[in-house]
Amino acid sequence: SERNKILHKGNKYRLGQKQTEVTKEKIRKKLFQRAKTFKDTSIEIKIHDCLNKLGILYQKHTVIENFVICDIFIEPNTVIFVDGCYFHACPICYPDRTKLNSTQNKQIIRDTLVNQFFSNLDKYKIFRFWEHEINKNEMLEKIRNYIKNEVII
């Protein structure tokens, strides 16, 4: 199909292809190493501040199911992704999808795969917050309420 052609064209991660157990283990090890080196972005710090004020304990840059690194994880099952509008190509800030660069297009594919992965798992509550939402002061209150209603404090 056309979608598979897009996914596999120049696909250095071989997304959607079967991989050996040895290869999977190498990918997992690299993923865990990468998780330790992330630097918090300004919008992640705003979410951290919000969670700290609410007294909610969380982990940063956590590997989930040996597949993806989330920005914030709250025990037992809340996963938060904090997406920058430029890098993740926010549909509100970047409505003309024909003008996206290759990095943005790759990130859209990656985000779609992550969303599909979590849609098959019922055990996690997934939240995605866009940079433009976080930077609006009134949105921070909504995020507080949203997280507070979903998390046992």
Side-chain angles (χ1 to χ4, degrees), residues 85-86 88-101 104-105 107-109 111-112 130:
C85 289
Y86 174 77
H88 292 266
C90 169
I92 293 172
C93 299
Y94 296 90
D96 187 354
R97 306 317 257 177
T98 62
K99 294 184 179 179
L100 300 179
N101 64 37
Q104 290 169 313
N105 283 319
Q107 193 60 40
I108 288 172
I109 291 169
D111 289 345
T112 301
W130 287 104

Side-chain angles (χ1 to χ4, degrees), residues 36-41 44 61:
K36 295 175 186 173
T37 62
F38 280 126
K39 183 179 176 187
D40 297 334
T41 64
E44 287 173 346
H61 309 294

Side-chain angles (χ1 to χ4, degrees), residues 49-74:
D49 291 345
C50 179
L51 294 172
N52 289 335
K53 287 177 187 173
L54 290 169
I56 297 174
L57 299 176
Y58 60 91
Q59 298 170 20
K60 302 186 292 186
H61 309 294
T62 305
V63 177
I64 305 293
E65 300 283 331
N66 291 325
F67 176 74
V68 67
I69 300 172
C70 70
D71 297 318
I72 299 168
F73 181 73
I74 302 170

Side-chain angles (χ1 to χ4, degrees), residues 1-8:
S1 74
E2 186 62 33
R3 182 177 171 275
N4 285 340
K5 287 178 187 174
I6 292 170
L7 283 176
H8 298 297

Side-chain angles (χ1 to χ4, degrees), residues 1 11 15 23 25 38 46 52 71-72 77 81 101 142:
S1 74
N11 185 354
L15 297 172
T23 303
E25 192 56 37
F38 280 126
K46 288 181 182 183
N52 289 335
D71 297 318
I72 299 168
N77 62 351
F81 292 99
N101 64 37
K142 289 180 184 177

Side-chain angles (χ1 to χ4, degrees), residues 9-146:
K9 184 180 179 185
N11 185 354
K12 70 178 182 179
Y13 299 109
R14 298 177 48 156
L15 297 172
Q17 296 179 13
K18 298 263 186 220
Q19 297 172 342
T20 66
E21 286 304 314
V22 172
T23 303
K24 287 179 186 178
E25 192 56 37
K26 286 180 183 177
I27 292 170
R28 285 185 195 108
K29 285 181 181 178
K30 286 204 179 265
L31 190 62
F32 283 112
Q33 289 170 348
R34 244 182 81 203
K36 295 175 186 173
T37 62
F38 280 126
K39 183 179 176 187
D40 297 334
T41 64
S42 62
I43 54 177
E44 287 173 346
I45 291 169
K46 288 181 182 183
I47 298 294
H48 298 166
D49 291 345
C50 179
L51 294 172
N52 289 335
K53 287 177 187 173
L54 290 169
I56 297 174
L57 299 176
Y58 60 91
Q59 298 170 20
K60 302 186 292 186
H61 309 294
T62 305
V63 177
I64 305 293
E65 300 283 331
N66 291 325
F67 176 74
V68 67
I69 300 172
C70 70
D71 297 318
I72 299 168
F73 181 73
I74 302 170
E75 292 285 347
N77 62 351
T78 302
V79 178
I80 299 173
F81 292 99
V82 181
D83 294 341
C85 289
Y86 174 77
F87 189 68
H88 292 266
C90 169
I92 293 172
C93 299
Y94 296 90
D96 187 354
R97 306 317 257 177
T98 62
K99 294 184 179 179
L100 300 179
N101 64 37
S102 62
T103 302
Q104 290 169 313
N105 283 319
K106 286 177 188 175
Q107 193 60 40
I108 288 172
I109 291 169
R110 183 184 168 282
D111 289 345
T112 301
L113 291 172
V114 168
N115 291 340
Q116 288 173 351
F117 172 78
F118 280 113
S119 70
N120 294 326
L121 300 174
D122 291 335
K123 61 183 177 180
Y124 294 103
K125 294 176 185 169
I126 309 303
F127 299 105
R128 279 195 180 271
F129 297 119
W130 287 104
E131 178 180 12
H132 72 268
E133 296 173 324
I134 295 166
N135 286 333
K136 291 180 182 176
N137 289 333
E138 69 269 9
M139 190 59 194
L140 283 177
E141 190 59 37
K142 289 180 184 177
I143 292 170
R144 282 187 191 103
N145 292 335
Y146 199 44

